[in-house]
Amino acid sequence: MSRIVGCRDMHIAKLTKDTPGGTPTWDKPIRVPSLINVSVSDTVEQSKFYSDDVIEQSFSKTAGKEITIELGYLTTELEALITGKEYKNGVLVQGGDDMPMEVALLFRAPKSKGGFRYMVLYKGTLARTESEYATQEDSVESATVKLVGTFIPLASNGKMAATADSDTLIGDGDADIALQEMITNWFDEVQLPE
């Protein structure tokens, strides 16, 4: 069994179409440099049904995914693209009615015995909620950038995320070829398995 030993190659792709019963579409993924960390947490709703003074049935449902991304830096141009702020003539301007674009988030994580785990989250928004600046003291410390967001199921098909391991063999020649082709093209376009 391989362990996850890092994360790299983050990309975002603007969601351009997502209608009930339709086929979702995205722009070509754009690389987001300087990835340090990605944290993904499921938002789970739990329900219990009672009868005769006891729990008759209990179930849980994943409602979304909460994302925290730590980057070494974020250019103002890329921040404008992600958060919906205005970028004009090299200046980033924030307004009260900025609307972040809906994006897919793609990245991969190396595995200890070779290969990668590939991840895609299909529909969410990201925001930079704080900026930190500190004076230099005896040693130089750098600040990182944190983006937070929520990813939800697609309206078109209810899918929220997909994960693929490059070292997985299904045992079916055609399926193995299709999986390897999907992984090869992971960052060329958003992969949506059938």
Side-chain angles (χ1 to χ4, degrees), residues 12-16 27-28 30 77-85 98-104 123-127 150-151:
I12 59 164
K14 180 180 180 181
L15 180 65
T16 54
D27 284 346
K28 183 173 178 54
I30 300 167
E77 187 173 11
L78 193 52
E79 182 174 345
L81 180 68
I82 292 171
T83 63
K85 297 173 185 170
D98 293 340
M99 294 295 297
M101 70 174 177
E102 291 182 316
V103 297
K123 180 181 182 177
T125 57
L126 296 168
T150 301
F151 283 73

Side-chain angles (χ1 to χ4, degrees), residues 4-8 107-111 115-119 165:
I4 300 298
V5 293
C7 60
R8 62 174 74 161
F107 64 96
R108 65 182 180 160
K111 298 174 79 176
F116 289 90
R117 170 159 292 164
Y118 290 80
M119 295 280 303
D165 289 325

Side-chain angles (χ1 to χ4, degrees), residues 32 87 120 163 180:
V32 179
Y87 180 77
V120 59
T163 304
Q180 291 307 314

Side-chain angles (χ1 to χ4, degrees), residues 44-63:
V44 179
E45 297 174 354
Q46 295 186 336
S47 297
K48 296 177 185 175
F49 295 99
Y50 293 83
S51 64
D52 295 323
D53 294 334
V54 295
I55 297 175
E56 175 186 307
Q57 186 179 18
S58 173
F59 69 91
S60 59
K61 177 182 177 186
T62 303

